[in-house]
Structures are given as C-alpha cells and as structure tokens.
Amino acid sequence: MKKLLNNVDQVVEDMLNGMAAAHSTYLRRLQNTTVLVRKQSPVNGKVGIVSGGGSGHEPAHGGFVGKGMLDAAVAGEVFTSPTPDQVFEAIKAVDGGKGVLLVIKNYTGDVMNFEMAAEMAEAEGINVQQVVVNDDVAVEDSSFTSGRRGIAGTVFVHKIAGAAAESGADLDEVKETAEKVIHHVKSMGMSLSPCIVPAAGTPGFELAENEMEIGTGIHGEPGVERTSILSSKETARLLFDKVQDDLHLQKGDRAAVLINGLGSTPLMEQYVFTSDVKEILDEHGIETADVIVGEWMTSLEMAGISLTLLKLTPDLEEKLFAEADTPAMKRFAK
Amino acid sequence: MKKLLNNVDQVVEDMLNGMAAAHSTYLRRLQNTTVLVRKQSPVNGKVGIVSGGGSGHEPAHGGFVGKGMLDAAVAGEVFTSPTPDQVFEAIKAVDGGKGVLLVIKNYTGDVMNFEMAAEMAEAEGINVQQVVVNDDVAVEDSSFTSGRRGIAGTVFVHKIAGAAAESGADLDEVKETAEKVIHHVKSMGMSLSPCIVPAAGTPGFELAENEMEIGTGIHGEPGVERTSILSSKETARLLFDKVQDDLHLQKGDRAAVLINGLGSTPLMEQYVFTSDVKEILDEHGIETADVIVGEWMTSLEMAGISLTLLKLTPDLEEKLFAEADTPAMKRFAK
Amino acid sequence: MAAEWLKRFAETVEKNKEELTKLDQAVGDGDHGINMNRGLQEVLRKMEEVPADSPGGVVKAAAMICISKVGGASGPLYGSALMKIASALGDEEDVEGKQLTKALRDGVDAIKKRGRAEEGEKTMVDVWEPAVQALEQGSSWQELTEIVKKARDNTIDMKATKGRAAYLGDRSIGHLDPGAVSSSYFFLELACVMEESS
Amino acid sequence: MAAEWLKRFAETVEKNKEELTKLDQAVGDGDHGINMNRGLQEVLRKMEEVPADSPGGVVKAAAMICISKVGGASGPLYGSALMKIASALGDEEDVEGKQLTKALRDGVDAIKKRGRAEEGEKTMVDVWEPAVQALEQGSSWQELTEIVKKARDNTIDMKATKGRAAYLGDRSIGHLDPGAVSSSYFFLELACVMEESS
Ligand SMILES: Nc1ncnc2c1ncn2[C@@H]1O[C@H](COP(=O)(O)OP(=O)(O)O)[C@@H](O)[C@H]1O
Ligand SMILES: Nc1ncnc2c1ncn2[C@@H]1O[C@H](COP(=O)(O)OP(=O)(O)O)[C@@H](O)[C@H]1O
Ligand SMILES: [Mg+2]
Ligand SMILES: [Mg+2]
Ligand SMILES: [Mg+2]
Ligand SMILES: [Mg+2]
C-alpha cells in the first residue's frame, strides 16, 4: 500500500482538517465531530440539507458544502457510514427553522445510522425528512433486498435539491424535488483496478492485467460481471445500455450527463469516454443539456469510471443550472 | 497497461473531442487542429493568451480555456510539445488586435516549437510575446543548462495573467504580470508510482513498494532523489523547505498555495497533505490567502503530489481573486 | 460475567480482525473487522476507566460505544441489540439464565427490526436467531457452541438479500457472512464464560 | 539517393522504436521513439504519394513533416536541420560529396542554433558535429560509420546540460542519449546508401 498519509487511523481526522484549512471561506468543521458545515450555519429561513457517508469518496460530500448545495456533510471512517451522533450534530447545526433534509445513499449502514439520527432530532423537535438515493442500475431492483446502491447520481440530488432549498422552498418541496431527481437519475460504473482501504492495507479485490469489472460499487464491492478489457467505446455502450434500460430516454429528451472518475483514471481517459458517450447520445437523438466530467464521487484510488444520466424536466433543468458555489462544484447563474 | 481508451494513437484526438463535447459552452475545437479556443474567439480589444504543451496533464491546458484565463490551449501528443503549425493556428484564432501572449512551460521542445510559431505569426504581422514558466525548484537553476522545468505553478500564471488580459491590459502589461507571477512562484513534487504513456505501454520508471521519488517531473522524468516512503508530514516539510529555500517567504507575507495531485493520488490524501502544509505555513507565520487543492497539472495516472507557493503582492492577489469561468477553474468575483 | 464476556469478545475480534476484513472484502467492502475492532477496543478502554456495577450497565455502555464508534451496518445493529439486552437485564447484579435468554431475544428482535432482515438473508441474523432459539429451547452452553458454529457455516451456501453482499446476487453464494462470523464470536465467548462460571 | 536514405532511416527508427523509447525513459520522458516514428512513417507515406524529383525536394518534404508531425524537442531540431540541408541541396538532380558535406554542416549548425546547444552537452549534437567534421576532413563512408558509433557511445559518460536529461544532473551519466542514437541511425544509413551507390 503506497499512500501519502501519516497514520491510517487518523486519516479521516487529518483529511477533515485539510478540507477545513483549504476551504475556510466555504465551510468550517464542527468541533469534536466529523461534520463540515457551511461557514454561516444555520442559514435562517432555508431548509438545511445534510448528506454524508463513509469517507474515501472525496470530493463527496464535504466538497459540496456551500451555496446552492449542501449545508453539512458528515464523514464516517473510510467506506463506513458515520454514526448517528455525528449526523445528529450536523442536523442541529444546520436547522434554520425550516427543517432539514437528509440525503442518504442507499446502503444498509447509512440508512440505519441516518435514521437513528433522525429519530434523535425528532425527539428534540427538529423537523427532519429523508430521501434515499439508489441510482446504481448494476444492482437488481428488488423489494426483497436492500435494493440498489446510491452512487454518483447523488451529486445531481445535492445540486438540484440544493437549488430548491436555496430558492426558499419548504421542506416538503425540497424533499419532493430530491425525490424527482432520484426517480430520474440512473448510473452504472466499472473498474480497471481496485482500491485499498488504508486501515485494511490490502486491495478489496483483484483483477488480472486483462480484466475489468463491470458494475463495481464505490466501496470496492465486487461488481456484477467480470470481462476482458473493453475499449472505451464498448464500455460506453455497455454502461449506456444498462442505464437506458431503466431510464427509457426518448428521442428529443433532454438529459444531463455526469462522467465520474473513480480515482486514478486520468481526465484524459475520462474525456475519451465522454466523447464516446456523446456519440451514443447523439445517435439516440438525446439532447445533452449538460455534461459534467471529473471526479465527484470517488472510490479512493480505484481506476474506473461511472456514467450517470439524469432525465431532465424544465424545472429540474432550471435548478441544475442555478448558481452554486462550493469547493468542488461551482456554477455561474446563466 | 490498463487504460480506458480506443486506440493509443488516437487518444489525443478522442480526448479533444470529449473536451469539446463536454465544455461546448466554454470552448470549441479549431477544425483539423489540436487547438481548443474560447467559444467566441477572438475577443476584440483583449490580449489573447495561448498556452499548451504535451497532453497528459489534463485539465491543463484545455480546462483553463474560458473567461479570465486562457484564450486557447494547444495540445501535443502525450508528453510531447505541440508543433509550430498548431500553435500558429491558435495565435491566429485568438488575436483580437491587441496581440497574443504565449505562456510556455520551460522544456526545450515547448520553447522551440512555440518560438517557431511566434516567428510564423510575426511574419504575418501579429504582435506576439512569450513568457517561459520555470517554477520547479527540484531542478538546479543554471544558465549553463536549459534551466528549471515549468510545472503546476503555470496554473497561477494562467489565472493571473488571464485576469490582467480580461481587465483590458495591453500586451506589455499582461506579459509583465505573467513575469511577475513567474518570479514569485515556486513548486516541487514527488511521486509514489510512475505513469504509462499510452503509445509506450510501459512505465517511465519503477519504484519499489517502499520507495518514493522526490522532485519528479510531470512527464515521468526521474526525480532528483529516491527515498524510502515518507509520511505526509515529512513530505510536506521536505517540499516546503526546498520551495522556501528559493522563495524566502517572511513572517507576515501572504501566499497562495496550490496542492496538485499528479493523477491517482486521491483527494483524501491531498487533503491530509494540505493539513500538514497549512501547519508548516502557520508555524512560519505565513498568511495563506488562498489554498487550491485538486488536480490541475497532472501526469496521467502517476501517484504523487506537488506543492506550489506563490508569494502575493496586492496586485497579484487582486488578480488571483478576479472572476474566472473555465471548465476546470471557476471563481466568483469577491 | 458481562464484563468478562465482552472483554473476550473484543479480544477474539481483535485476533481475527484481518480474517473478518478478508471475509468482508469477498462479499462487502472490507471493513467489518476494522469497524468491530474500533468499537470493541473502545469498549475495553471504557470498561477499565469506568467499570459498570451491573451486567446491564456493562452492556449498556458497550451499546452506546457501538452506536457512536462503529458506524457502518454493524454499528447500529450490534448497538441496537446491546441496548435492548441492557434494558432487559436492568441494573440487577446477578443475571440468571432465563433472564439472559429473554434479553438475547430482545436483542435479536432489535437487529431484525433495525435491519429489516429475516433469517436466511445471509446476515448476522442467521447466527443470532438460531442461537437464541436454541437457548429458548433449553440448549446447554456446550450445545449452543455447536449450533452457533453450524449456523455460521450455513451462511456459506446462502444467497445474500440484505446488506452489501446482496449486491452480488448469486455471486454471494460460497462465502461466509462476516457479520455472522463476528456474531458467532459473540455467542461462543458467551458460552465459554457461562460454562466456566457454572 | 535521398529517398533511399530517408526510407532506410525511417525503417531503422521503426525497428528500434522501443529501444529509443526505453533510452528516453531512462533520462527523459520516454517518447523519443514514438515521436520520431510518428514523423518518419508520415515521411514514408508522403514519399510514396508525391515522389519529389530531387534530393533537395525529398529532404524538404521530410523537413516539413518533421516540423509539423514530430513535436517535442526532436521535431524542431530534425526539422530545422533537414530544412537547411534541403536549401543547401537546392533542386539539382545529382548531389556530389562536397555539396552534401556542406549541406550537413548547415544542418548541424541549425540544430545548434535552434537548441542553443554545443558539443559535450549530451544531445544529438554530439553525433552530428563529429560526423560532419569527419566528412569535412575527408573521411570515407566506412570511417564515418566508426566515428558515428563512437560518438554515439561517448554520450554515455557525458553529463547532460541541455534537453530533458539535464534535469537529472549527475544521474544522467551512464546512459546513452536517445537523440544521439537516432542521429547515429541517420548517419549510418547515409553511409550505407552512399557506399552502395559508389
Ligand atoms: N439489513 C441487515 N440486517 C442484518 N444484518 C445486516 C444487515 N446488513 C448488513 N448486516 C450485517 O452487517 C455485516 C457487515 O457489517 P460491516 O461490514 O461492519 O458494515 P458495512 O456493510 O456497512 O460495511 C454483514 O456481514 C451482515 O452480517
Ligand atoms: N537543446 C537541445 N539541443 C540539441 N538537442 C537536444 C536539445 N534538447 C533535446 N535534444 C535532443 O532531443 C532528444 C529528445 O527528443 P524527444 O524525446 O523526441 O523530445 P522531448 O525531450 O521533448 O521529449 C534528446 O535525446 C537530445 O538528443
Ligand atoms: Mg462499510
Ligand atoms: Mg516529450
Ligand atoms: Mg463492510
Ligand atoms: Mg522525450
């Protein structure tokens, strides 16, 4: 394991200090917690949005704290959901009187810990609602299981629900907006190499020199299929087809595309992939209102990429393009 | 070699198409060239700024094309300077009548190719000036050699010279501003693992599991020293000391910090390193006006990081914080 | 007894930390050993610092730590279970067999509720439920040991439908469930301690 | 003769592409073989498509391609050299020895000027300069072959002060300079072609 760090057990602590140091105009760290909140929290008269999860997905979620996106991000240990007490601290810090929305990625641990925090907050009279993001079409959608994972599509939820909250919408409206995004967003990823949880010291899985894994999760969870390495074009088609199976985009539909590097896949390769995705969308007559490329929801140093498509409606599009100013995502009002 | 691409010989071509597709509101590709220019080029009455170099450093330089930074970026093959004819096309496309500044990273190849392009442009009556960025203190500064390399500090040159140009300064002023940045900016990097040029297919150097390389260039050039792996704190101190040897920051000085991931070093580790750098700067009583963390001048999938410090003067600081809107760097006016 | 039990549980988890992590790498995200060990080491520290005066007190302190230090899926699950167990034990200084069984029943019910899981879904429930049922049916501690080991191994052939392993679908078959293994330590150490003290 | 020469040069570079790249990985950025091959393959294509009618014409076409297709340091250096050589050869159909030597002198001077390099800096100049000097002093093609090989190998012990290898300082010692090696092919193939045609 080759990593630039000081102590595997302190990595989240050190990272949070670094984020607070780098982004002090945007956010601050709540003392003795793993919570980053907007510099001026709570924002009065605004619904607070809290997200978070295990660490190792940076810039998610701390990088999205700021105007037009999140009010707080709660960090757990690497790939481990944060605990309820931490989430509760975040909720208290951002409640500006209009209630708080929790944006949870669909993992058993996250759902349970956030739920326990919500119970604690409700006991203190804070109005809390939650949405659960489950955009990963690699996983079968079934009511008998815990269902689909939340992956990079979560960034669209942050952006668009954040815009709704910023515009003064009430808690129900913000929640509804978030749910609409969740309903319209689907993702799928693949990886070329695994990642190493610092405290574990060994890779989560192994791939031969000529293999790739399709449908990998963002925690090094094994994917759904292992194939020999595909070209970018083939990969784009495979991921698009799987996403499209669920999303049913029609000719003339407008969509936002998020191409997400999982960690060590260079932007060069991400742009090659972008070009292939664009070609497929053009072929289908789907209008790409927005293409976002880069690292948004990573998986430590995993090599790989995910494709997220969001089917736009006029109201979603308007909020997608609303102003945002956060460390990792900035958007000028159009 | 595990990469997501279609054809090693087409990788720059495909990447440029991807960048143009993703960032069509910012830039367009000049047909049959490897040049990305601002959507509306030339901007009349504004000095044009052209930079570029070998590919593999994304988001540099195409990601910095936009308001407040570059007018054009010229891409060469991976790690190979672009040819004069391509640079010449860029110059012609962005000359809005006030002349064009070339921002060149100090590599023999880049200097020669850009110089030849400048000769071609001058022959056509275009006013061209150039600056050469040489911020890498890993390399000895000597007038007997080709001198120091240009690395991540180049991003500050783009940002600040870009702000000068945007504000209507004339060519001499923009050049002077760029030179002032160059004079005040120093960088040094290190790496934990090499990168692979797609067309070569094998890594540029090898490092044992317990080794790191200090002073690596951004093209996989071997560094100046090989040591056993240092902690983030030790690395921060080593890089800071080397940079400080040259920059002589005093207590009370204001500085901008750029922490640059070379490719596969996760943001998590970059923030750990940021926290260590901040501690050292605080110790020295140096005020950090700005801390920029992320991937700005990469080296394909190399693992590693570089530290850049820019000593600020009031005029540089003002331009550093001026509005910028490009795919990779956005800044709201303060 | 409760202090000794949790101490041995913590020690066994520490000893098998890598093993648990390896199991979780195969079907999950490779942190189960790390998570459990982080919490249980804290439990050990806390027990030394402020020794509780009743079994219920010991378990309650451990529950709080699981909830606030473990995270992931296992934190709230073990935490909720221990919390219910502690409530059932109350603050009596001596706990007899029946009361303990009753408390463990509350524990497994809490896991099933929190995790929305039933038996057969390849989770820790597949150790907890058979173990508690055995005790309810009057099994000896010796017998419990065998039942727990068998229950643990039974998870190998199961297909996961809850927790992270569920994402693997059929590919989850053929692996032990990490939470079932850590839960087997929980019951095996309990049996050990109870046998020794009987 | 020029066409044959450049064709053989291109073929040798292609054959040794990996070798050149390996040399450049040791002291540079690992693309010299790729750069040269990209340009010279284009030269081959161009020669087939539009055969030039004089040696000068052939070289000029190659120069243009080097400048616009090779990039890096070697592109402008070979490009400038070939451009000057072409000028010196003019459009005569037959080129005799003296004129060729004079042309190569213009070539090496162009490299030195463009690269601001002198002999002894561990660059291609360390092959070009001794090679041209030998021709100026009347060496035979056979002798040139030996001189070029020796000049090439002499770069091993040099410390680089120009080009990317200069960043290595003393660590550049002990390696062949990649540009010196590609330049040795350039002169060795010239010697070959001239000997065969004589
Ligand atoms: N819904 C659930 N109900 C019961 N147990 C579960 C559930 N989800 C997961 N588990 C248990 O938790 C274990 C994983 O714990 P851990 O690795 O610490 O958390 P995470 O899955 O969040 O990384 C699984 O092996 C399984 O036994
Ligand atoms: N200033 C210079 N003068 C003469 N030759 C040079 C100079 N700089 C580099 N070279 C030659 O160019 C070769 C490297 O070419 P290449 O690898 O294609 O370009 P780059 O260094 O830009 O990657 C070196 O081996 C050396 O022979
Ligand atoms: Mg986990
Ligand atoms: Mg090069
Ligand atoms: Mg786990
Ligand atoms: Mg080279």
Side-chain angles (χ1 to χ4, degrees), chain D residues 33-44:
Chain D
I34 303 164
N35 292 345
M36 292 299 295
N37 190 54
R38 181 176 50 245
L40 292 172
Q41 288 302 311
E42 188 65 27
V43 169
L44 286 184

Side-chain angles (χ1 to χ4, degrees), chain A residues 48-52 70-74 87 90-91 94 100-103 114:
Chain A
I49 304 189
V50 172
S51 191
L70 301 181
D71 292 272
V74 193
V87 180
I91 295 172
V94 308
V100 175
L101 180 71
L102 307 182
V103 178
F114 276 77

Side-chain angles (χ1 to χ4, degrees), chain A:
Chain A
M1 179 180 69
K2 292 186 107 171
K3 289 188 191 276
L4 185 66
L5 38 78
N6 296 308
N7 178 335
V8 289
D9 297 323
Q10 284 290 108
V11 64
V12 172
E13 178 66 23
D14 291 352
M15 173 189 80
L16 290 171
N17 287 338
M19 292 187 91
H23 308 306
S24 60
T25 54
Y26 290 96
L27 49 81
R28 61 190 162 86
R29 181 170 173 187
L30 290 185
Q31 272 207 324
N32 299 319
T33 72
T34 59
V35 180
L36 299 172
V37 297
R38 262 168 89 159
K39 188 99 181 265
Q40 268 85 31
S41 284
V43 182
N44 281 328
K46 188 186 104 48
V47 168
I49 304 189
V50 172
S51 191
S55 294
H57 306 304
E58 293 68 29
H61 297 273
F64 301 126
V65 172
K67 191 172 171 207
M69 292 185 80
L70 301 181
D71 292 272
V74 193
E77 289 296 321
V78 178
F79 291 172
T80 301
S81 162
T83 54
D85 50 317
Q86 302 295 309
V87 180
F88 181 40
E89 292 301 325
I91 295 172
K92 285 189 292 186
V94 308
D95 178 35
K98 278 188 92 167
V100 175
L101 180 71
L102 307 182
V103 178
I104 310 171
K105 298 197 295 305
N106 189 31
Y107 298 95
T108 312
D110 291 64
V111 171
M112 291 190 296
N113 284 291
F114 276 77
E115 255 174 21
M116 284 168 83
E119 290 162 15
M120 290 157 94
E122 273 152 18
E124 294 229 349
I126 303 176
N127 199 357
V128 179
Q129 294 284 342
Q130 60 176 59
V131 295
V132 178
V133 188
N134 58 351
D135 54 319
D136 188 354
V137 300
V139 178
E140 215 190 324
D141 196 13
S142 156
S143 54
F144 296 110
T145 68
S146 19
R148 286 177 164 168
R149 300 178 285 222
I151 56 173
T154 311
V155 177
F156 279 131
V157 182
H158 294 348
K159 175 67 190 75
I160 292 173
E166 207 71 49
S167 75
D170 66 27
L171 183 53
D172 285 341
E173 288 164 343
V174 175
K175 183 183 175 187
E176 223 170 84
T177 303
E179 276 174 341
K180 188 163 176 185
V181 178
I182 293 170
H183 185 72
H184 283 82
V185 69
K186 304 290 167 202
S187 305
M188 181 148 151
M190 67 86 202
S191 67
L192 289 167
S193 76
C195 58
I196 299 180
V197 174
T202 55
F205 57 95
E206 264 161 44
L207 280 170
E209 187 55 31
N210 63 343
E211 282 180 333
M212 67 193 260
E213 179 103 8
I214 308 291
T216 336
I218 54 172
H219 305 90
E221 302 105 324
V224 292
E225 190 191 338
R226 199 164 275 201
T227 69
S228 58
I229 285 196
L230 302 177
S231 70
S232 170
K233 261 189 213 318
E234 291 164 329
T235 307
R237 198 160 293 276
L238 193 154
L239 298 185
F240 172 81
D241 285 349
K242 265 301 226 152
V243 166
Q244 170 69 350
D245 263 1
D246 246 80
L247 204 55
H248 305 298
L249 289 165
Q250 308 287 320
K251 193 170 165 165
D253 277 352
R254 287 176 72 74
V257 184
L258 186 128
I259 309 248
N260 177 53
L262 288 178
S264 61
T265 289
L267 264 181
M268 165 174 276
E269 296 171 39
Q270 294 183 40
Y271 280 120
V272 169
F273 180 77
T274 301
S275 155
D276 294 324
V277 168
K278 183 66 164 58
E279 202 175 298
I280 296 171
L281 291 168
D282 287 349
E283 254 173 42
H284 284 71
I286 299 160
E287 288 177 29
T288 47
D290 195 20
V291 184
I292 303 180
V293 184
E295 298 184 355
W296 313 100
M297 180 72 73
T298 61
S299 187
L300 296 172
E301 72 280 45
M302 192 185 284
I305 212 161
S306 67
L307 170 66
T308 298
L309 295 179
L310 168 66
K311 180 170 170 170
L312 290 170
T313 57
D315 57 322
L316 292 183
E317 184 162 345
E318 186 208 314
K319 293 187 182 77
L320 176 62
F321 287 114
E323 185 174 303
D325 190 14
T326 72
M329 185 172 283
K330 296 181 177 66
R331 196 135 224 180
F332 285 84
K334 267 207 184 168

